[in-house]
Amino acid sequence: MNGEYDNPAYLEDILHNGFQQRILNLEADSGGTETAVLVRRLADCSSGENLDPSVQKAVLYVHGFNDYFFQKEAAYFFNEKGYNFYGLDLRKCGRSASSCQKFDGIGDMRIYHEEILEVLKIIYLEGNQDVVLFGHSLGGLILTLFAKDYSDENLFDGLILNSPFYSFNTVRTKKTWLTLASHLARIMPDVEISTSFSEEYGKSLHKDSRGEWNYNLNWKPHRAPKIPLSWLRAAFSAHRELLNRFEVKKPVLVMCSGESLIDLTERKKIHLSDIVSDVRDISAVSDNIDGEIDFVQFDGGVYDLLLSDEKVRKEVYETIFGWLLKNDFL
């Protein structure tokens, strides 16, 4: 893999310090040419623990809604364990987005499988033999569908889910309204509506507000962009599908916060709860998976567990690497 570090298909990424990126050309949709961006950091960028050059291991991280890959800490930890780290910015998101980020042209969550399959092809061509998928939020929903569809194929060896987007965490009346709005997509697919996600989540994370993280607010704004009804319908369709039992023939680790919070006037709990998803729904879908499933909740965790406070993050990484070790992935 040392020679691959100088692969001309890759350029230095905005994260620097060993991070590289390459652009992936996808099939055009109604909006025109589509691209996704693959970011990687190889294990030989670090000192590495348990590094065995004869066995190349990789993890592919897929970000959430209104998000992109910027979690450098995760890459460093996986590199230290001998994993080559790959992060994917999905079409229309982050590095892949135009100046006006819009989620148009997406009527099925499986459309994202195109870039996942393309990235997996690259990962294996670069000499990796064992691959673990790691998805947060929307990435967790997408990868759950992917694992469901491709469970019988040798495309991945395990699946880690960080607060997968299995429902909207909102009051019943607003959830009912969103459901009704999704039905209107049959006749008005391009009509855009505001999401139910509060800007308080972003403000609790970013260093310029009340958080500790620095990231691009154009790519991960506090207030998410409007979504077309077609995208909303695609999300609800995926949610309903996962309410039925399904099988994943590879080990799965599902993680989420200890509790969800809807009442955002409880300011002290915003930093200690999931204010985006409903952890009860995450638990319910996890129970629907036939296979080797580990479900773990973290008290004090936020929606993206990797952005929780340091104590919780330590527990999260210990859980991840303990699970990898248990399944002979380390």
Side-chain angles (χ1 to χ4, degrees):
M1 288 286 287
N2 288 333
E4 288 290 345
Y5 188 75
D6 298 320
N7 188 323
Y10 287 91
L11 300 173
E12 184 178 24
D13 186 63
I14 57 172
L15 297 178
H16 307 293
N17 195 27
F19 287 93
Q20 297 176 298
Q21 66 162 261
R22 65 183 289 180
I23 297 174
L24 311 176
N25 293 315
L26 307 174
E27 291 186 15
D29 64 9
S30 58
T33 303
E34 282 294 344
T35 61
V37 177
L38 177 62
V39 180
R40 74 174 185 181
R41 191 175 193 273
L42 302 180
D44 14 3
C45 291
S46 304
S47 56
E49 291 180 18
N50 307 321
L51 251 169
D52 181 353
S54 67
V55 179
Q56 295 290 352
K57 299 172 291 189
V59 59
L60 171 59
Y61 176 87
V62 183
H63 62 79
F65 173 77
N66 187 42
D67 205 354
Y68 72 103
F69 169 66
F70 64 90
Q71 291 84 348
K72 296 186 291 185
E73 182 180 66
Y76 297 151
F77 280 134
F78 273 96
N79 284 166
E80 289 171 1
K81 297 295 184 181
Y83 271 82
N84 295 316
F85 187 95
Y86 295 81
L88 173 64
D89 276 16
L90 298 164
R91 66 185 72 197
K92 307 178 189 290
C93 300
R95 298 165 178 82
S96 309
S98 64
S99 58
C100 180
Q101 184 175 354
K102 296 178 67 175
F103 290 91
D104 57 343
I106 294 173
D108 186 339
M109 288 296 153
R110 286 180 168 85
I111 193 173
Y112 297 108
H113 290 182
E114 181 187 355
E115 49 257 58
I116 293 170
L117 287 168
E118 181 65 22
V119 167
L120 288 173
K121 184 190 303 182
I122 291 170
I123 288 174
Y124 284 113
L125 285 174
E126 292 184 355
N128 296 285
Q129 300 172 26
D130 302 321
V131 178
V132 174
L133 304 178
F134 186 176
H136 165 58
S137 178
L138 174 62
L141 174 63
I142 293 166
L143 288 180
T144 301
L145 294 172
F146 186 88
K148 178 175 180 285
D149 292 351
Y150 292 95
S151 185
D152 286 325
E153 302 188 33
N154 295 321
L155 292 175
F156 68 100
D157 299 284
L159 175 64
I160 301 172
L161 300 170
N162 167 13
S163 303
F165 173 47
Y166 290 156
S167 70
F168 290 89
N169 179 31
T170 186
V171 294
R172 183 180 297 276
T173 53
K174 192 161 188 179
K175 188 174 290 189
T176 300
W177 180 84
L178 287 171
T179 303
L180 292 173
S182 74
H183 292 310
L184 292 176
R186 295 177 183 271
I187 56 175
M188 298 184 295
D190 298 326
V191 170
E192 296 182 333
I193 63 170
S194 297
T195 67
S196 62
F197 303 120
S198 168
E199 64 182 355
E200 289 302 317
Y201 177 59
K203 289 181 177 179
S204 73
L205 298 178
H206 200 272
K207 69 178 186 64
D208 290 345
S209 298
R210 303 187 301 272
E212 64 172 293
W213 304 98
N214 186 22
Y215 50 81
N216 188 328
L217 288 173
N218 291 319
W219 292 348
K220 185 180 172 64
H222 295 333
R223 185 165 293 279
K226 290 183 177 181
I227 54 174
L229 293 182
S230 59
W231 191 97
L232 181 66
R233 183 175 178 80
F236 271 107
S237 177
H239 293 165
R240 287 194 299 271
E241 178 180 340
L242 297 181
L243 291 177
N244 300 311
R245 292 198 68 80
F246 61 96
E247 185 177 20
V248 176
K249 295 180 180 178
K250 309 293 172 64
V252 181
L253 171 63
V254 184
M255 307 181 296
C256 64
S257 175
E259 66 173 337
S260 293
L261 179 69
I262 291 179
D263 183 3
L264 301 186
T265 62
E266 299 184 60
R267 309 282 296 188
K268 293 182 179 179
K269 298 185 70 174
I270 289 177
H271 288 274
L272 304 171
S273 311
D274 185 335
I275 67 172
V276 180
S277 67
D278 190 331
V279 298
R280 295 171 300 180
D281 290 330
I282 295 175
S283 176
V285 173
S286 300
D287 287 340
N288 286 338
I289 305 175
D290 286 328
E292 187 181 336
I293 314 299
D294 288 280
F295 177 74
V296 184
Q297 293 183 266
F298 297 89
D299 291 336
V302 298
Y303 183 45
D304 186 346
L305 294 168
L306 302 188
L307 303 181
S308 302
D309 68 30
E310 186 175 7
K311 178 179 180 295
V312 176
R313 295 203 307 275
K314 184 174 183 293
E315 295 173 1
V316 170
Y317 285 116
E318 287 176 349
T319 297
I320 290 172
F321 293 120
W323 178 84
L324 290 172
L325 182 61
K326 183 184 79 169
N327 288 285
D328 296 323
F329 296 147
L330 277 183

